[in-house]
Amino acid sequence: MTEPRVSSIDGKLAEEFAAPSHVDEVRERIAAFARLHAEAGRCVVLISSGGTKVPLESRTVRFLDNFSSGRRGAQSAEYFLETGYAVVFLHRHRSLYPYARTLSSINVLDALEFSGGTQEPDRVVVNPEVLPNMAKVLKKYREVTDAQLLLPIEFSTLSEYLHLLKASAQSLNAIGSKAMFYLAAAVSDFYIPVCDMPEHKIQSSNGPLQLSLKMVPKILSPLVKDWAPQAFVISFKLETDAAILLDKARRALETYRHQAVVANVLDSRRGYVVVVTPTSQHEVVLSKEDVNNQVEIEERIVTNLTAAHERFIEQQVG
Ligand code: PMT
């Protein structure tokens, strides 16, 4: 296995983005997780999920954020687990989480009741009318956690995301082509370097605020070239203008030379995506019937990409 290389972006990362204090511990946990599952013959996918927060002050009161709920990442994680992958779930704090996402659209207290009426007020059970699938979901969650197949890693800020993704990539490099990166997170393109950030809360008494934001380095480049060069890498591309989407996806493949881009438009992202590779373009669409049957598009995306990953591994070995 090749050692991860140092990239030209490493210096910038160290200087302008504060690393989280537990980054080395995370690196070791992911390395141990990858070893365990590779020895058991499993592939490991790192899923990035949710939006990044960009602070405006060091002692942060205000920050820039984005729309991502983490639903794509959380749902995909479940389908990867069903397919037999072990999952590193690099997700935004409090964004949607595999299995627990079932609870995200309700007030949990509305799903609970006292089992023996007022006679036994301290025993609480789930109301199956509010959460009909809870036993099934809980069973799957327990199976996954008991088998240590899901490793959750949290981030909130852009800096945390960048450092944790780098550490993850360097650890997963040890399993070569058996590692997949599924980068569904919506990462900020703009930031304020730590050296330019005011320490204290920006005062509104100083008048209107003008911000000058720098461009975030494109992390896909060192990930593909230096940190995990043998891995199977999938990026996502989101646009609001469908007319430019496929062109942008193809340009990303030409620039970064990774394996696939999942292209989606903001308003239709739950029912339509295009999986673009250097040699193909595959539309994934949910029909009305699929929607009525509660099929989730992530199931189809994951089926498409795990098959492509299998072919990729065979080519590397063969
Ligand atoms: O979370 P949901 O509400 O379910 O929505 C899902 C989604 C729309 C967020 C998801 O499907 C999606 O499209 N995510 C990518 C959004 C995007 O357009 O990313 P981008 O063009 O800024 O970045 C391209 C790729 O590089 C992405 O895979 C991104 O995760 C990655 N990236 C980008 C910049 C950066 N500095 N580091 C990165 O890793």
Side-chain angles (χ1 to χ4, degrees):
M1 202 57 50
T2 54
E3 283 294 306
R5 291 187 293 250
V6 175
S7 84
S8 54
I9 287 177
D10 284 79
K12 197 177 184 80
L13 260 186
E15 279 164 30
E16 298 192 5
F17 298 89
S21 56
H22 64 309
V23 68
D24 290 332
E25 181 210 318
V26 167
R27 186 180 286 109
E28 279 167 29
R29 280 173 62 204
I30 297 177
F33 185 80
R35 252 192 325 271
L36 174 81
H37 292 294
E39 277 166 19
R42 266 180 221 110
C43 291
V44 179
V45 59
L46 177 135
I47 299 176
S48 74
S49 184
T52 55
K53 184 164 126 177
V54 176
L56 303 188
E57 303 117 342
S58 311
R59 302 189 189 198
T60 309
V61 174
R62 302 187 184 89
F63 51 84
L64 302 176
D65 208 338
N66 68 54
F67 69 95
S68 172
S69 63
R71 185 161 150 191
R72 175 83 83 220
Q75 293 183 173
S76 302
E78 292 179 22
Y79 295 111
F80 275 111
L81 288 160
E82 258 170 45
T83 314
Y85 277 66
V87 174
V88 179
F89 190 59
L90 178 61
H91 65 288
R92 166 76 179 271
H93 178 62
R94 292 205 180 134
S95 62
L96 291 192
Y97 193 86
Y99 308 105
R101 68 182 170 103
T102 320
L103 305 171
S104 68
S105 55
I106 59 160
N107 177 343
V108 176
L109 293 181
D110 291 335
L112 302 178
E113 52 192 23
F114 295 118
S115 64
T118 48
Q119 302 302 314
E120 213 180 345
D122 47 345
R123 272 186 65 95
V124 169
V125 291
V126 171
N127 178 344
E129 278 169 28
V130 183
L131 284 173
N133 293 322
M134 204 57 226
K136 209 167 108 194
V137 172
L138 182 61
K139 185 166 178 283
K140 281 192 188 170
Y141 176 71
R142 290 267 186 268
E143 282 166 6
V144 159
T145 46
D146 289 350
Q148 298 177 51
L149 287 165
L150 178 62
L151 177 61
I153 310 285
E154 279 191 355
F155 64 85
S156 286
T157 63
L158 170 70
S159 297
E160 288 166 358
Y161 170 81
L162 295 175
H163 281 283
L164 292 173
L165 179 66
K166 177 183 164 187
S168 313
Q170 290 176 325
S171 295
L172 291 177
N173 181 52
I175 63 166
S177 60
K178 289 193 132 218
M180 184 199 282
F181 289 83
Y182 183 89
L183 303 174
V187 184
S188 175
D189 284 324
F190 309 102
Y191 76 110
I192 302 177
V194 270
C195 50
D196 294 347
M197 215 184 278
E199 181 184 353
H200 293 287
K201 183 185 167 196
I202 298 167
Q203 294 299 312
S204 59
S205 52
N206 294 343
L209 178 62
Q210 288 206 341
L211 291 173
S212 172
L213 302 170
K214 286 177 81 171
M215 293 297 297
V216 175
K218 287 291 178 197
I219 213 80
L220 260 179
S221 176
L223 188 138
V224 173
K225 274 202 308 217
D226 304 309
W227 300 336
Q230 289 166 299
F232 187 76
V233 179
I234 297 138
S235 70
F236 279 67
K237 179 50 71 187
L238 176 84
E239 292 296 337
T240 50
D241 178 1
I244 61 169
L245 182 67
L246 291 180
D247 192 42
K248 297 275 297 253
R250 278 191 217 101
R251 257 193 281 156
L253 284 173
E254 280 162 24
T255 308
Y256 303 112
R257 312 228 152 247
H258 57 306
Q259 283 66 43
V261 175
V262 179
N264 53 176
V265 173
L266 185 66
D267 297 336
S268 59
R269 69 190 193 277
R270 305 281 175 229
Y272 177 78
V273 308
V274 186
V275 179
V276 187
T277 75
T279 54
S280 68
Q281 189 172 302
H282 177 77
E283 291 188 341
V284 184
V285 195
L286 291 187
S287 65
K288 271 203 177 129
E289 198 186 342
D290 290 331
V291 174
N292 291 340
N293 291 332
Q294 297 183 334
V295 174
E296 293 173 332
I297 198 163
E298 286 73 14
E299 182 177 4
R300 307 253 166 98
I301 301 173
V302 168
T303 301
N304 179 295
L305 292 172
T306 49
H309 188 203
E310 202 176 313
R311 291 194 294 276
F312 176 80
I313 294 171
E314 278 164 17
Q315 282 163 12
Q316 309 294 306
V317 174

